[in-house]
Amino acid sequence: MFQAMHILSCSFTLLLFTEICTLPLVEETMMNRCGLLTVNKEPVPLKSIEVELEVRDHVATVVSTLNYENKEDKPVEAVFVFPLPGDAAVCHFSAKLGQTQIVAEVKEKQEAREEYDDALSSGQQAFLLEESQQSPDIFSLSVGSLPPGESASIRLEYVTELAVQADDGLRFSLPAVLNPRYQPQGSEVSSVQVTSVPASLVPYSLSLSARVSSARPVSKVESSCSLDPLQYLNTDQTQATIKLSAGHKFDRDVELLIYYKDAHQPTAVVEAGQASAKQGSLMGDPVVMVSLYPEFPQSVMSTVASRGEFVFLLDRSGSMTSLLTNSKQEKTRISSARDTLLLLLKSLPMGCYFNIYSFGSRFERIFPKSVEYSQQTMEEALKKVEEMDANLGGTEILMPLRHIYSQPCIPNQPRQLFVFTDGEVGNTKEVVDLVKKHSGSHRCFSFGIGEGASSALINGLAKEGGGHAQFITGTDRMQPKVMQSLRFALQPAVVDVSVTWDLPKGVSVTALSPPITALFQGQRSLIYAQLTGQSSEAAEGSVTVKYSLAGHPSQNQLNFSLKPAEDTGSTVHRLAARTLIRSLEMEEREKREEKDGVKKKVVELSVQSGVSSSFTAFIAVNKTGGEAIQGPLLRRNIPTVSMYLCAKLGSPMTMSCAAPARVRGPRGCTGDLPRLRGEGYSLEQQLGSQRKSLRHFHMSPDDNWVVQPPLSPGEYSVEQPLGSPRKSRYSDMSLDDDGATASQSPQDPLLQLVSLQKASGCWQLDPALAAALGKTSEEVEKSKPALVNNEEWATILALIWLHGFKMDAKEEWELLAMKAVSWLRAQNALRVTDCVDAGNALLGSSVQKDALGL
């Protein structure tokens, strides 16, 4: 926890944050004036980041080298708060000073902090890397006592699993964006807060090269960033290299999508234990990593459930006004979420129940409780959705979650929760723990919207809620990913999952992964286990996952060799240790009486495996000979990219320094915040002989202020545009800067057609449908075959248009089309063949009747 004393000593962080980092509308002149300096004209010692990525099948090893140089005439302490994947296992940290290499050790966090403090007090160089107590996807790196003119290279290594995407690609993300995390009212100040700048002001460069290898050919690698051509290293194309193109701007998360041929093959990798580790310990014994891809019967996959309670939870905090992509022509996060809710509501099955919650500093719900899905309730909900804006302030996600869980479940209607958020919350672990507590009563599907969404939050919600996580970044469209999750939600829930092992005599197994709670068609399930005992290298074992699906027992089995794989190093052990550490950390938060005992287990496992945890830190001290570094240290906070630079305006907000609470006498980091309109006060405290002052401010939930660039030195303009919609719903009209009506912007033709569908699945024959099809009412009426019902004709026309002109978006409309086909079958529609022929002639298409499912 950050103590008030330390917050006072670091007003430089706050000055940098408020004067540069909260400027969503930074003018080009401001950017040019700042250059590579902070607002106090203080140099940033981090010069470049070099990333080497090695991908083997679905596991990635990432080595980042951070190059520092102190160009000042006094020693500095550089503090860098940055994001990592939430499920990463950080396993190596070292520093190189000239020819001296210092490898860090993992120690209990408080012990590591004290050693770091003692080293700096003694004039030694020291390096500290620690994980945030609140969220495992944020780390703080302190580089202490870097003498004038000296350079240092910091090497950071972690391993992580790659998530499987809807199109079978494996997703690797190198987080670059770290948006400020909202602290709920009444909560403790986060131990890690963020110093951020606009992307164009990031004063260090990034380079990335990747090597990909697999037992199966690498078919392609795609990215949201510009890449050099893929280079194959062998004739069978199982090894390849790729790198970011020169001149890459560090303005977004770097995402790679890696595609293998026949990727969905179950595998098992056995990794030998370390010879130096004690036998019987996790690191001393072999560990097996099993990847399973369940295959469900086609009879189950061809049908969708007609029951369920679907609860949609939408983030309406101020940051949802940000653009979904880097293009100014693209939709905002909130407008894309509204379009997605339209598709979801049209795709729900008749007979289900639903409700829509939205939240910011407070929360709202459309209905007092979930209602049955009908034409009337669907229309009422859509009307409210069209009025939704990102105007509810901060990100108080706990309040609506608690209210949802307080509502009794509807008998025979399994609850499915869909959470849409940009993931900028500070109390990640508290939110994930709440979802886990209620995991037996629902499934949770989560969606991280935009750059900088917390992977720890989004993945944690889905993992503990037995659902599926999706990230919408770059040029991704939200709708296809969300509709894939809806298809998962409409699949029967897998129950009674069990894992059994069949191993040779003398070999026993200890599960390291938590019990499997969710299985989805084609989605990977990972299992880690420790193998104890002796067996011949030729011995084989098997693992079987049994479960019940739609009332029928099913199972998937995998046979594997116990012979350890070559060249895996300790990757599997570290991933297994990370998995066990995360489980124990959650257990520690649940068991109050046994907290100390569980924490001790985490620390021991973390130290033994060399993998980071929330209770440990990496510490490296340069104990080589040399003169002690003299003089007060200047603190330099390294900024990260923020795509939404107003933190979470419209809510009480505390901004604090990033490093652990430490006081080492005069540090030279002084400065006052410019006073902003709103509630504010000053704090003062005597620290040694130096007086530190800090102005702390917060903003009321109704005042979504934005700080504009300085008009002149020391002058600020405070406006209130965030909560004010600049465009009307569904692109009807927009307002220019004077508030006058601007020209209408065209609505997405697909959404226009979808918006006309009835809850039952049919369309009505009316002028609106004709316009959506690009025809006149007379043309549509004249083409209708005799004796055909108007609604049947309209529905067949809509289906032909979808299949004829929107096949590239089939994932988005497939479910609502299935509902339309079911409606037509229930009507015993006449002259279907004639209708299809007439529809093709009218629309200029050539869709076959069978393709429509009729």
Side-chain angles (χ1 to χ4, degrees):
M1 289 296 120
F2 275 70
Q3 300 171 2
M5 184 178 297
H6 187 61
I7 295 175
L8 290 172
S9 71
C10 297
S11 56
F12 167 81
T13 309
L14 294 157
L15 180 57
L16 173 62
F17 188 86
T18 53
E19 199 163 329
I20 291 184
C21 306
T22 60
L23 305 183
L25 304 174
V26 180
E27 295 177 347
E28 192 65 34
T29 56
M30 176 71 174
M31 295 178 183
N32 292 338
R33 182 164 64 93
C34 290
L36 300 182
L37 306 178
T38 68
V39 291
N40 283 349
K41 297 184 179 180
E42 294 165 338
V44 177
L46 177 61
K47 300 305 176 184
S48 65
I49 301 177
E50 301 166 3
V51 178
E52 296 177 6
L53 167 67
E54 182 171 358
V55 177
R56 294 192 176 187
D57 292 317
H58 60 263
V59 173
T61 300
V62 185
V63 178
S64 297
T65 303
L66 295 84
N67 298 305
Y68 289 81
E69 183 180 2
N70 180 12
K71 290 189 174 182
E72 302 185 61
D73 58 4
K74 293 181 180 179
V76 300
E77 177 188 28
V79 179
F80 186 27
V81 180
F82 57 94
L84 286 180
D87 56 357
V90 178
C91 53
H92 177 87
F93 177 56
S94 62
K96 187 173 183 180
L97 308 164
Q99 299 302 313
T100 304
Q101 183 85 8
I102 311 166
V103 179
E105 300 177 72
V106 179
K107 296 186 178 182
E108 191 275 328
K109 184 172 284 187
Q110 189 57 37
E111 179 186 350
R113 289 175 175 178
E114 291 174 359
E115 186 173 339
Y116 178 81
D117 292 343
D118 292 343
L120 296 195
S121 299
S122 303
Q124 294 176 306
Q125 291 174 294
F127 308 87
L128 182 70
L129 177 70
E130 53 185 311
E131 177 185 312
S132 164
Q133 194 72 31
Q134 279 71 35
S135 187
D137 60 349
I138 301 178
F139 281 76
S140 173
L141 169 59
S142 300
V143 176
S145 294
L146 193 60
E150 185 161 323
S151 300
S153 292
I154 308 299
R155 179 184 170 97
L156 170 68
E157 181 178 338
Y158 65 86
V159 291
T160 186
E161 304 149 358
L162 304 185
V164 182
Q165 301 301 287
D167 59 358
D168 297 343
L170 293 172
R171 178 180 183 266
F172 167 77
S173 178
L174 178 71
V177 178
L178 181 52
N179 293 321
R181 301 291 172 86
Y182 173 84
Q183 290 298 316
Q185 298 184 35
S187 68
E188 297 180 9
V189 178
S190 172
S191 62
V192 174
Q193 288 287 330
V194 184
T195 302
S196 305
V197 294
S200 57
L201 286 181
V202 174
Y204 44 85
S205 62
L206 170 74
S207 62
L208 180 144
S209 60
R211 180 187 177 103
V212 181
S213 59
S214 173
R216 296 170 294 279
V218 181
S219 55
K220 62 179 177 178
V221 178
E222 297 178 347
S223 177
S224 57
C225 304
S226 179
L227 299 175
D228 287 349
L230 186 69
Q231 301 289 329
Y232 289 106
L233 302 179
N234 54 8
T235 54
D236 58 6
Q237 299 186 343
T238 58
Q239 296 182 31
T241 59
I242 194 80
K243 64 179 179 179
L244 286 177
S245 299
H248 168 75
K249 291 184 178 180
F250 201 14
D251 60 352
R252 72 194 79 171
D253 295 346
V254 178
E255 183 180 74
L256 298 180
L257 295 175
I258 301 163
Y259 297 85
Y260 302 128
K261 294 180 181 177
D262 302 321
H264 281 196
Q265 299 296 320
T267 58
V269 176
V270 177
E271 185 176 82
Q274 296 177 354
S276 59
K278 180 183 176 182
Q279 275 199 334
S281 67
L282 172 60
M283 301 305 291
D285 282 345
V287 169
V288 59
M289 176 177 65
V290 178
S291 307
L292 293 175
Y293 294 87
E295 293 294 333
F296 296 163
Q298 183 58 35
S299 59
V300 174
M301 296 306 300
S302 60
T303 60
V304 295
S306 60
R307 296 183 302 176
E309 179 195 8
F310 296 87
V311 181
F312 305 107
L313 179 58
L314 175 64
D315 188 343
R316 288 173 58 191
S317 61
S319 56
M320 290 289 285
T321 57
S322 299
L323 292 176
L324 188 59
T325 76
N326 292 299
S327 168
K328 293 183 178 179
Q329 285 72 40
E330 295 294 336
K331 287 180 173 289
T332 61
R333 298 172 184 178
I334 188 67
S335 63
S336 184
R338 285 196 300 262
D339 292 347
T340 301
L341 282 174
L342 168 68
L343 278 172
L344 283 167
L345 289 175
K346 293 293 184 177
S347 301
L348 291 180
M350 295 294 287
C352 75
Y353 287 72
F354 79 102
N355 203 353
I356 300 175
Y357 285 70
S358 57
F359 68 94
S361 298
R362 56 187 173 86
F363 74 89
E364 298 176 354
R365 49 187 169 148
I366 290 182
F367 304 107
K369 62 179 182 179
S370 294
V371 296
E372 187 170 358
Y373 179 72
S374 66
Q375 183 65 28
Q376 178 182 344
T377 56
M378 183 191 74
E379 287 180 351
E380 185 177 348
L382 283 173
K383 184 178 180 181
K384 295 287 182 65
V385 168
E386 290 175 5
E387 298 170 355
M388 289 181 176
D389 252 320
N391 56 1
L392 293 186
T395 317
E396 293 273 10
I397 191 172
L398 272 177
M399 294 188 298
L401 279 176
R402 285 171 176 155
H403 190 274
I404 291 168
Y405 294 140
S406 72
Q407 303 297 302
C409 292
I410 301 171
N412 300 316
Q413 301 285 350
R415 178 173 289 171
Q416 316 279 359
L417 175 62
F418 285 66
V419 180
F420 302 86
T421 178
D422 55 19
E424 297 171 11
V425 306
N427 56 341
T428 300
K429 293 181 180 178
E430 193 176 359
V431 174
V432 172
D433 288 350
L434 180 64
V435 171
K436 182 184 180 183
K437 181 179 178 182
H438 296 274
S439 59
S441 63
H442 78 305
R443 287 194 290 186
C444 181
F445 298 85
S446 54
F447 306 90
I449 305 171
E451 306 287 345
S454 168
S455 60
L457 176 72
I458 304 306
N459 286 327
L461 290 175
K463 181 179 179 181
E464 301 304 334
H468 189 255
Q470 300 269 23
F471 289 86
I472 298 99
T473 60
T475 56
D476 288 347
R477 279 176 57 82
M478 185 185 304
Q479 289 83 359
K481 293 194 173 187
V482 174
M483 298 310 292
Q484 183 204 28
S485 291
L486 179 59
R487 281 190 285 274
F488 285 156
L490 291 170
Q491 291 178 16
V494 170
V495 296
D496 300 329
V497 183
S498 66
V499 177
T500 57
W501 299 82
D502 184 10
L503 299 172
K505 187 177 180 180
V507 179
S508 60
V509 63
T510 302
L512 302 174
S513 304
I516 296 175
T517 57
L519 290 173
F520 296 105
Q521 166 74 15
Q523 289 297 300
R524 184 185 66 225
S525 293
L526 281 175
I527 303 171
Y528 295 96
Q530 178 179 343
L531 302 176
T532 304
Q534 298 294 326
S535 65
S536 65
E537 287 193 347
E540 287 197 348
S542 69
V543 58
T544 304
V545 177
K546 299 180 179 179
Y547 51 91
S548 179
L549 178 66
H552 301 288
S554 301
Q555 69 177 42
N556 293 108
Q557 182 174 322
L558 174 66
N559 297 314
F560 61 93
S561 169
L562 293 179
K563 181 180 180 180
E566 297 179 358
D567 300 328
T568 60
S570 300
T571 300
V572 174
H573 279 77
R574 287 164 173 168
L575 288 171
R578 186 281 322 272
T579 300
L580 185 53
I581 284 171
R582 294 290 181 245
S583 298
L584 289 171
E585 287 174 338
M586 182 166 284
E587 183 181 339
E588 186 268 347
R589 298 195 296 272
E590 294 174 345
K591 296 184 176 181
R592 297 182 180 179
E593 295 180 358
E594 303 175 25
K595 287 183 69 169
D596 291 342
V598 178
K599 178 180 177 180
K600 183 179 179 182
K601 288 181 183 178
V602 173
V603 172
E604 289 176 350
L605 179 57
S606 178
V607 171
Q608 176 199 142
S609 63
V611 172
S612 63
S613 75
S614 59
F615 302 127
T616 54
F618 283 89
I619 174 68
V621 177
N622 183 7
K623 297 180 180 179
T624 59
E627 294 184 5
I629 298 169
Q630 302 295 325
L633 289 181
L634 302 179
R635 182 187 174 97
R636 298 292 178 252
N637 294 275
I638 313 287
T640 54
V641 182
S642 178
M643 304 301 290
Y644 179 72
L645 300 173
C646 300
K648 284 281 191 178
L649 296 184
S651 56
M653 177 175 59
T654 303
M655 291 183 284
S656 63
C657 299
R662 298 184 294 273
V663 177
R664 291 184 292 271
R667 299 305 305 262
C669 74
T670 60
D672 288 338
L673 284 176
R675 181 71 174 258
L676 299 182
R677 194 185 80 193
E679 300 180 56
Y681 56 91
S682 296
L683 298 176
E684 294 188 348
Q685 181 168 346
Q686 188 75 26
L687 297 177
S689 61
Q690 190 172 18
R691 178 174 294 275
K692 309 288 184 178
S693 65
L694 163 70
R695 286 192 185 134
H696 166 97
F697 70 93
H698 63 272
M699 304 179 185
S700 67
D702 297 323
D703 291 314
N704 292 317
W705 298 331
V706 174
V707 185
Q708 301 283 9
L711 306 176
S712 61
E715 216 175 311
Y716 281 77
S717 162
V718 183
E719 300 185 357
Q720 195 175 7
L722 270 188
S724 308
R726 300 303 302 161
K727 292 186 178 180
S728 62
R729 311 298 171 267
Y730 290 113
S731 304
D732 291 334
M733 297 184 177
S734 61
L735 300 177
D736 61 22
D737 290 337
D738 297 322
T741 302
S743 59
Q744 291 190 359
S745 54
Q747 185 180 11
D748 184 315
L750 173 60
L751 295 178
Q752 186 179 357
L753 181 72
V754 168
S755 67
L756 300 173
Q757 188 185 31
K758 299 299 180 183
S760 62
C762 72
W763 275 265
Q764 288 187 325
L765 193 64
D766 56 23
L769 175 67
L773 297 174
K775 301 296 177 181
T776 65
S777 295
E778 292 76 15
E779 288 174 318
V780 173
E781 289 279 0
K782 185 177 179 180
S783 300
K784 180 172 74 72
L787 304 178
V788 174
N789 177 282
N790 282 349
E791 288 184 340
E792 293 171 5
W793 170 235
T795 303
I796 291 175
L797 280 179
L799 288 172
I800 292 173
W801 187 87
L802 290 172
H803 282 83
F805 303 101
K806 285 296 176 180
M807 284 301 290
D808 59 333
K810 185 178 180 181
E811 289 178 319
E812 302 180 32
W813 53 258
E814 187 174 27
L815 287 175
L816 60 88
M818 289 172 61
K819 188 161 66 166
V821 170
S822 296
W823 180 86
L824 284 169
R825 287 174 177 164
Q827 308 307 307
N828 292 318
L830 300 174
R831 303 189 64 185
V832 172
T833 301
D834 293 342
C835 286
V836 173
D837 291 341
N840 279 321
L842 173 65
L843 298 177
S845 55
S846 56
V847 178
Q848 299 297 313
K849 174 184 172 183
D850 291 345
L852 299 178
L854 297 174

